[in-house]
């Protein structure tokens, strides 16, 4: 396969770095820690002028769910697309799909989750060590598909530090009541100062989720046979493993990893009864409650760092190669559509020495993607995509704080493998500037301004067919006979941060004016039994805020912490409200963490959402709590156990950001149990 030959060429090009690292390990020169991160220049989040949220492993351990979208959905400004408990992609400030990029340790996940809301992001949250959420101007460094935000998931499959125990092991067992979840995960790490290695494996399964009431919101649309208290066909099964190793030396490092991800999950929601009955009679495969997806992905990753001695301080190389396939299968076992995505992404970043008060980085990013969808429900023609981008970020230190300037030039080509549509090529230029004022030792003011041009994805151009996941007959811009005009976003983001003392708070406000914003709009007709939605372009505006306060009522060293947050997004085009925007929210959390115990309670109120052109949702409040016990144990062994409760009010909550909001509510009251044991 061409993908693998390109991967081999990339690896061969990096072998000189391997030999340098191996030969350099013969001396006693200390090795600096290598950090793989999406944060520019490897800086800490607090020193960035760009808006960023960082979640560590301990926080993620309690938040982890079976989808990355739901794992992050309680963070200010973040929601999830939610197509059941398995398929959920992050929504950032009202932006989703092709405008939000999910990274696997700095390189795209290379899946097809951005093309359809029922497609899963192949990332297992139980292995996540750290998540970085970038919003605002800094996202232009990661391509036009990151115009709405970046979520960088770091799972540690390629070790990034030469330091560590010679051997360590962690095992994790989890269960919950609403989904009947059973999850098992284990990881092994080890090595020495010259080489570090990593192994992991997991297995997770869930039943149909339990809810309060009926899944279908509108009684008139509810099938007579729909059960009360259950979302039919919302089950899921996932498994995977990864192996990686990194060689370290005084001249740098080179690391490799191979990972496998497999999942089978149901697609809940309405079906066309007549088609289902015909297929059930004709099919000879295993019967299921509804359609489901069977997904397999094999991924190879390379990470290298060369520590130079000249004006260039270091060069980072990141390569990801993906072999992805999933089949969408009818209830009788017949394969309806097969999606394949063979992709290679490579990124080279060079960090230069300080020149006067300037310090910065520049680089190049390349993507080669062969996508195809074949079958009766293939709504996009097979397309080859190539993307080449050049970027630069420079930082100037001043007495009042820092100034950051960034730019990106990107050339995209979509080549549909069909004579029906013409190829699309376009060059975009994006610019950003940010200033971080250190007002005083406890207050920072950040102002960021960007002008970003976004290239379209294949679905926005070439869709032409029934898309059952969205319940629409979709027609792309080119497929409709129109031409695509550059989508240009002008974004202003202002944040005020107070830190130090008993109270830490942040208030961020943003306004984003988008010329030629691309989205689906109903035209009032019906095709193939579905409403016709044409991708149109219209000037649109997004604005909103995020606010967060952390208070330690008992003093700086107190185990008590109170957290309150609120967020709000408003979005409209020239003609109407935009669809699937998250509602205003307000949340309150109480947390106690001391010695062996940690416990807390939380309440998040989601307001009603009727300022959107899609399904309007009612208000609901999610009440939860958790208790964790981590005893002090002598010796190399450690363990902890936790119990977490969610939706204690058994609310029939629905996400307005979901295409299935009218048919798939969030789980009802659930107890989650977890046990983790480690050795080092």
């Amino acid at each position: 396969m061409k993908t693998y030959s390109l991967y081999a060429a990339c690896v061969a090009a990096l072998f000189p770095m391997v030999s340098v690292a191996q030969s350099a390990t013969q001396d006693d020169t200390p090795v600096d820690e290598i950090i793989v991160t999406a944060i520019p220049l490897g800086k800490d989040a607090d020193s960035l002028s760009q808006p960023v949220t960082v979640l560590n492993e301990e926080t993620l351990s309690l938040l982890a769910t079976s989808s990355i979208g739901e794992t992050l959905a309680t963070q200010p400004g973040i929601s999830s697309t939610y197509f059941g408990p398995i398929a959920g992609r992050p929504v950032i400030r009202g932006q989703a799909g092709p405008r939000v990029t999910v990274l696997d340790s700095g390189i795209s996940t290379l899946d097809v989750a951005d093309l359809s809301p029922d497609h899963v992001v192949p990332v297992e949250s139980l292995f996540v060590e750290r998540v970085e959420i970038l919003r605002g101007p800094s996202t232009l460094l990661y391509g036009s598909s990151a115009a709405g935000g970046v979520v960088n998931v770091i799972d540690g499959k390629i070790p990034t530090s030469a330091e560590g125990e010679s051997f360590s092991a962690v095992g994790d067992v989890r269960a919950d009541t609403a989904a009947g979840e059973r999850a098992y995960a284990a990881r092994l790490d080890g090595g020495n100062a010259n080489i570090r290695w990593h192994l992991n494996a997991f297995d997770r399964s869930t039943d149909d989720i339990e809810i309060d009431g009926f899944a279908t919101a509108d009684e008139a649309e509810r099938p007579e046979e729909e059960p009360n208290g259950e979302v039919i066909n919302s089950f899921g099964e996932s498994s995977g493993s990864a192996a990686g190793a990194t060689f370290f030396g005084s001249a740098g490092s080179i690391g490799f990893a191979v990972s496998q991800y497999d999942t089978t999950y149901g697609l809940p929601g309405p079906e066309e009864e007549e088609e289902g009955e015909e297929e059930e009679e004709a099919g000879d495969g295993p019967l299921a409650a509804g359609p489901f997806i069977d997904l397999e992905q094999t991924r190879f990753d390379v990470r290298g760092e060369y520590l130079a001695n000249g004006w260039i301080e270091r060069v980072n190389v990141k390569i990801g190669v993906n072999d992805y396939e999933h089949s969408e299968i009818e209830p009788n076992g017949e394969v309806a559509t097969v999606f394949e995505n063979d992709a290679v992404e490579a990124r080279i970043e060079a960090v230069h020495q300080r020149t006067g008060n300037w310090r910065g980085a520049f680089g190049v990013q390349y993507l080669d993607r062969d996508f195809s969808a074949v079958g009766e429900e293939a709504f996009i023609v097979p397309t080859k995509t190539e993307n080449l981008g050049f970027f630069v970020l420079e930082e100037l230190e001043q007495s009042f704080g820092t100034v950051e300037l960034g730019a990106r030039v990107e050339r995209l080509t979509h080549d549909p493998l069909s004579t029906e549509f013409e190829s699309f090529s376009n060059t975009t230029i994006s610019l950003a500037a940010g200033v971080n004022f250190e007002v005083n030792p406890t207050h920072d003011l950040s102002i960021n301004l960007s002008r970003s041009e976004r290239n379209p994805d294949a679905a926005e151009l070439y869709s032409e067919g029934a898309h059952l996941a969205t319940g629409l007959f979709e027609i792309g811009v080119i497929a409709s006979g129109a031409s695509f005009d550059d989508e240009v976003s002008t974004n202003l983001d202002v944040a005020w941060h107070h830190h130090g003392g008993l109270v830490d708070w942040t208030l961020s406000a943003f306004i984003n004016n988008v010329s030629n914003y691309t989205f689906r709009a109903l035209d009032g007709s019906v095709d193939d039994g579905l409403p016709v939605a044409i991708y149109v372009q219209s000037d649109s505006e997004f604005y909103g805020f995020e606010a967060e306060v952390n208070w330690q009522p008992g003093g700086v060293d107190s185990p008590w912490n109170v957290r309150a947050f609120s967020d709000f997004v408003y979005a409209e085009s020239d003609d109407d409200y935009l669809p699937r925007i998250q509602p205003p929210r307000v949340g309150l959390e109480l947390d106690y963490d001391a010695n062996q115990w940690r416990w807390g309670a939380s309440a998040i109120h989601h307001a009603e959402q009727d300022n959107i052109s899609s399904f309007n949702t009612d208000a609901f409040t999610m009440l939860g709590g958790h208790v964790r016990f981590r005893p002090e144990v002598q010796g190399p062994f450690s363990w902890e156990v936790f119990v977490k409760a969610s939706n204690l009010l058994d609310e029939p909550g629905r996400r307005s950001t979901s295409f299935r909001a009218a048919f798939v509510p969030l789980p009802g009251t659930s107890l989650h149990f977890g046990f983790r044991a480690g050795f080092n």
Side-chain angles (χ1 to χ4, degrees), residues 195-218:
I195 180 173
R196 304 292 303 175
W197 55 267
H198 171 90
L199 298 171
N200 71 50
F202 78 94
D203 186 88
R204 183 197 292 268
S205 62
T206 59
D207 302 325
D208 290 344
I209 61 174
E210 297 178 357
I211 59 173
D212 178 37
F214 291 95
T216 303
D218 188 345

Side-chain angles (χ1 to χ4, degrees), residues 570-591:
Y570 180 88
E572 66 175 355
S573 68
D574 284 345
D575 302 319
D576 197 0
Y577 296 122
L578 289 173
R580 288 170 294 282
I581 303 298
Q582 61 258 46
R585 299 183 302 179
V586 60
L588 182 64
E589 297 178 356
L590 173 66
D591 193 74

Side-chain angles (χ1 to χ4, degrees), residues 246-268:
T246 302
F247 300 89
F248 293 93
S250 60
S253 67
I254 181 71
F256 306 87
V258 58
S259 56
Q260 181 73 26
Y261 184 95
D262 303 303
T263 184
T264 300
Y265 59 97
L267 301 176

